[in-house]
Amino acid sequence: MRALTYQGANNVSMDTVPDPEIIAPDDMILRVTATAICGSDLHILHGKIPGMKDGDILGHEFMGVVEEVGSEVTRVKPGDRVVIPFVIACGQCFHCLLNEYAACETTNSGPGAAMNPKSIKPPAALFGYSHMYGGIAGGQAELVRVPKANVGPLVVPDVLSDEQVLFLSDILPTGYQAVLNAGVKPGSTLAIFGAGPVGCMAAACARMLGAETIYMVDHNPYRLEFARDTYGVLPINFDQDNDPAELIIQATQGRGVDACIDAVGFEAKGSTTETVLTTLKLEGSSGKALRQCIAATRRGGTVSVPGVYAGFIHGFLFGDAFDKGLTFKMGQTHVQGLMPELLEAIGEGRLKPEVIISHRMKLQDAVRGYELFDKRQDNCRKVVLTP
């Protein structure tokens, strides 16, 4: 089969690789009908994610048709059309029983990313995302082996197109969980840092839950314009206004917003000092977006972090967070628990995640898709690939 593979930092390629096979009795084989390039894939492209090996198949947003199932698979059958969550969970461990699927204790054979884990087990395995998270082959391919097929795949109705439901695999539930973690309710004020796909999905979900005012901070004018026109956000370009938090505070009677969402993560555009520190491996992540979130949130408010972070951050300003009595909620998305209600919202027309798509390409052209998305060429917001 053909698949998009990692070949070292800033180097991905389309290759012919062996077809996947069923290994465990609760595995299934999926024939991919649509897959997407995620912002998290760019962290891998940039060489920022440890544990990658040359030849690893990338991609964690995908869906398709069930081709084959193992002897113990009862939830799906060949011919079913399904969306696959990017988190691989067993459904039976301590955390899965609490609907904390991203913390599954059994699926990840890797160490996870924590620097000081002690004897706590690593979090769940992820598709296409380094051997720290199990080294499971991803979905930017013609075929995928899907472990734990009785827990992850969600059967979708034929009345909904692939593009309508594809993002149930990651960015839509990630944006939704970020909004839930932020405590958004009717009348809430919110600031979202990052106008990429997750930031836009967060804006869509916040509107669905009744947020009154949404500020969105980014430095890509075309992304801000799209978010303004589509979700009614108030855009702030930090290349033009270098202290968005102060603007937000001034616009909210000197108080700040009820919550901030950091949809940027550890590759946030920070200071020269931060760039040097991360280059020298003296800092794991840029703290620019996180510091802005802390500053822009009102006393007693919440900072929600769906953006990926790694390692440690200087200048975290924990004292400021304490002084303001802030709540922090963060982490990988518990996708399996959120997919059914989001599917219902799509079916009822309350969410239209497909509007984020700007580029539709063949899987064979995935390398060019990565270039478009990474370099923000041709006003690229989201690339969907079809085999």
Side-chain angles (χ1 to χ4, degrees):
M1 70 170 185
R2 299 290 284 170
L4 190 284
T5 66
Y6 178 80
Q7 298 296 337
N10 299 306
N11 186 7
V12 294
S13 67
M14 283 300 303
D15 295 309
T16 299
V17 301
D19 289 358
E21 298 178 351
I22 287 177
I23 297 173
D26 59 351
D27 285 351
M28 76 176 208
I29 303 298
L30 182 84
R31 181 166 296 278
V32 176
T33 58
T35 183
I37 302 172
C38 182
S40 298
D41 291 326
L42 297 184
H43 300 324
I44 294 176
L45 178 68
H46 298 157
K48 301 291 187 179
I49 303 297
M52 292 299 301
K53 297 180 181 180
D54 290 358
D56 283 348
I57 298 173
L58 303 186
H60 55 271
E61 288 185 305
F62 60 98
M63 65 174 293
V65 176
V66 178
E67 186 92 347
E68 182 183 358
V69 298
S71 60
E72 294 182 4
V73 175
T74 58
R75 182 171 175 174
V76 296
K77 63 185 184 303
D80 282 348
R81 183 165 162 262
V82 296
V83 179
I84 308 298
F86 77 95
V87 168
I88 302 169
C90 72
Q92 299 176 342
C93 70
F94 173 85
H95 287 289
C96 285
L97 293 175
L98 293 173
N99 293 326
E100 297 170 350
Y101 297 100
C104 177
E105 296 178 318
T106 70
T107 57
N108 186 2
S109 60
M115 295 183 67
N116 188 28
K118 304 301 183 186
S119 57
I120 289 179
K121 296 175 182 177
L126 309 176
F127 284 102
Y129 217 78
S130 115
H131 293 261
M132 294 194 308
Y133 295 101
I136 307 298
Q140 289 166 2
E142 293 177 327
L143 297 166
V144 184
R145 180 180 74 91
V146 178
K148 305 300 177 186
N150 289 321
V151 181
L154 177 72
V155 177
V156 293
D158 290 336
V159 70
L160 298 175
S161 70
D162 278 12
E163 290 188 356
Q164 286 178 286
V165 297
L166 172 60
F167 302 135
L168 287 168
S169 58
D170 179 5
I171 59 169
L172 182 56
T174 295
Y176 186 49
Q177 179 171 292
V179 168
L180 295 177
N181 283 345
V184 171
K185 57 183 183 296
S188 290
T189 57
L190 178 69
I192 301 172
F193 286 76
V198 169
C200 285
M201 293 299 99
C205 292
R207 284 297 183 209
M208 181 178 70
L209 295 182
E212 180 176 340
T213 304
I214 303 173
Y215 300 91
M216 183 165 275
V217 181
D218 203 296
H219 69 129
N220 291 285
Y222 76 88
R223 287 184 165 183
L224 288 171
E225 290 168 8
F226 171 80
R228 179 197 63 203
D229 296 344
T230 307
Y231 309 113
V233 306
L234 300 174
I236 300 174
N237 187 325
F238 68 73
D239 278 349
Q240 299 171 2
D241 299 291
N242 63 8
D243 193 357
E246 181 59 28
L247 289 177
I248 291 167
I249 291 167
Q250 292 174 3
T252 53
Q253 295 78 50
R255 184 173 296 121
V257 287
D258 296 323
C260 279
I261 292 175
D262 175 0
V264 181
F266 76 106
E267 286 198 81
K269 182 180 178 182
S271 66
T272 301
T273 299
E274 284 179 310
T275 301
V276 171
L277 288 171
T278 52
T279 300
L280 295 176
K281 309 297 185 185
L282 298 175
E283 177 172 70
S285 301
S286 166
K288 178 66 178 291
L290 200 53
R291 287 194 296 275
Q292 281 280 305
C293 285
I294 291 171
T297 304
R298 67 166 174 82
R299 296 185 182 279
T302 300
V303 175
S304 172
V305 188
V308 174
Y309 278 89
F312 47 90
I313 303 173
H314 88 282
F316 178 64
L317 302 183
F318 191 77
D320 285 24
F322 177 85
D323 178 75
K324 298 177 77 172
L326 301 182
T327 295
F328 286 80
K329 301 193 78 171
M330 65 195 79
Q332 294 285 10
T333 309
H334 306 306
V335 186
Q336 285 87 337
L338 301 173
M339 291 172 79
E341 61 187 286
L342 290 171
L343 177 62
E344 182 178 339
I346 292 169
E348 293 175 352
R350 291 182 286 125
L351 285 172
K352 296 180 179 180
E354 70 276 11
V355 299
I356 192 70
I357 301 170
S358 60
H359 290 72
R360 298 163 175 87
M361 307 174 73
K362 290 297 183 182
L363 177 64
Q364 188 62 34
D365 300 320
V367 174
R368 175 58 179 153
Y370 267 79
E371 183 180 13
L372 284 168
F373 191 42
D374 182 39
K375 297 181 179 179
R376 311 290 195 268
Q377 294 176 349
D378 194 27
N379 289 352
C380 185
R381 296 187 304 268
K382 188 71 175 178
V383 179
V384 170
L385 307 167
T386 53

